[in-house]
Amino acid sequence: MASKQQDYYETLGVSKKASADDIRKAYRRLARKHHPDLNPGDKAAEDKFKKVQEAYDILSDEKKRQMYDQYGFYSEQGFPGAGPGKGAPGAGFGFGGFDFGDVFGGAAGGAAGGAAGAGDGGFRDLFSQFFQRGRQQAPKPERGSDLEYALNIDFWQSIKGTQVRLTIQRQETCGTCGGTGSSGGGAATCPQCNGTGNVTQMAGAMRFSLTCPRCEGSGKLRNVCPACHGEGRVTQPETVEVRIPAGARTGSRLRVAGKGSAGLMGGQSGDLYITVRVDEHPFFHRDGDDVIIKVPISVSEACLGAKIEVPTVDGKALLKIPQGTQNGQRFRLREKGIFSARTNTRGDQIVEVNLQAPKANDERTRELMRELASLHPEDPRAEIWRQV
């Protein structure tokens, strides 16, 4: 029965002219969003993840993508019946060149064939190649899926770098059967066709039901490994040591090669991707490679000027406050920020001063404040009134 095929470009949210880098970025973003490990129990997210994985497998491979763009589907053996002098789906595709007699048989088939014209291909070739392919094709090595891990670290760990130990749940090659799924056990449901005995394959707008190549249509696997139940992999915890480099920030992603899920049928393992989230510090705030801190100063220090000690990520530093400093004024301490391995430079520390008014709890203080007000009767809000 005809069925609309999945649009791989639409699945990844990219255009048909998207570059390989755009496709890779879209895949990673969607894989993180819908990965089953990050959405436990969410069947919709799991289904979406499978579709995203399928789309990326095709569009990330240049030859597969070329075939998909040309025919609207991908098959390991190419388009059935396509070759020198034979048709392929596209503009002007019709029924000319097909031998209808191969399909209908007998007199009716001969009449149909005579009306359409006898070609060297035919519907019989089309269908037989699909079904023979389903019976004969052996399972191929399949790369394991990538894993995503969200890691929280504190501000100082992000500044100085740190070594962390993570315990992850990953699928590893079954030690009992060596990943084959078979080791003399009993029967189990085939994981490739889920016990139906059939798998589907698309050809343009047509969907074909093929015999499952793994169980050969029985829906069951014989001599199934009792440890992995025919899957070839088992889920186990593993401890991984990861070095977080100095200067890591929220959103930084680290790749640990080969620490994703193990592949099937000898395929290579996926990778582990760690996304870093840095906790906020109560005083230091990061802006790129710069560090911003608010420091209180007294009215006398602001009026008369002073030299004060301020904290930095390296310890204490001396900051000169000039006479007449205003509230909110900022000062820059060169190369007192965060080191960037990408540019091999350090950022700066920005110090924003916050004037602290004295508490006039005694008469002497209030007298001095009144004297100060009489010496400086200017209205500090005069500029505002001129603009209103």
Side-chain angles (χ1 to χ4, degrees), residues 126-292:
L126 176 66
F127 284 97
S128 66
Q129 287 189 42
F130 267 104
F131 282 98
Q132 289 175 6
R133 185 179 308 144
R135 297 189 191 97
Q136 298 173 0
Q137 185 176 8
K140 294 186 176 181
E142 179 181 333
R143 182 182 182 275
S145 61
D146 295 332
L147 298 181
E148 295 282 343
Y149 190 96
L151 175 66
N152 278 50
I153 60 176
D154 63 35
F155 177 80
W156 293 111
Q157 287 176 319
S158 73
I159 299 300
K160 306 295 184 181
T162 186
Q163 189 90 8
V164 296
R165 297 184 58 155
L166 310 176
T167 299
I168 60 174
Q169 297 288 333
R170 63 184 297 265
Q171 289 183 307
E172 299 180 352
T173 300
C174 177
T176 302
C177 64
T180 64
S182 176
S183 66
T189 301
C190 174
Q192 184 164 345
C193 66
N194 295 320
T196 64
N198 298 306
V199 293
T200 58
Q201 184 165 345
M202 298 296 300
M206 294 181 291
R207 183 189 298 272
F208 293 90
S209 179
L210 310 179
T211 302
C212 176
R214 188 164 184 180
C215 65
E216 297 182 345
S218 67
K220 298 286 185 180
L221 295 179
R222 305 296 177 184
N223 299 322
V224 171
C225 172
C228 66
H229 306 290
E231 173 66 22
R233 300 178 298 188
V234 291
T235 301
Q236 293 182 346
E238 180 175 342
T239 300
V240 181
E241 289 197 0
V242 180
R243 176 67 185 172
I244 306 298
R249 67 185 68 188
T250 294
S252 295
R253 297 187 78 235
L254 307 176
R255 173 176 170 265
V256 184
K259 288 302 180 181
S261 292
L264 291 172
M265 308 305 295
Q268 68 178 8
S269 297
D271 300 328
L272 170 64
Y273 288 92
I274 300 171
T275 301
V276 176
R277 297 172 184 168
V278 182
D279 295 335
E280 290 289 334
H281 190 274
F283 300 112
F284 292 111
H285 302 281
R286 183 168 181 171
D287 182 14
D289 294 328
D290 293 338
V291 174
I292 301 175

Side-chain angles (χ1 to χ4, degrees), residues 37-51:
D37 290 346
L38 300 179
N39 299 274
D42 190 338
K43 181 63 177 175
E46 181 180 351
D47 293 341
K48 181 65 175 178
F49 178 79
K50 291 178 180 178
K51 291 182 179 180

Side-chain angles (χ1 to χ4, degrees), residues 40-62:
D42 190 338
K43 181 63 177 175
E46 181 180 351
D47 293 341
K48 181 65 175 178
F49 178 79
K50 291 178 180 178
K51 291 182 179 180
V52 168
Q53 183 69 53
E54 178 184 347
Y56 181 69
D57 287 343
I58 300 301
L59 300 184
S60 62
D61 186 289
E62 183 177 352

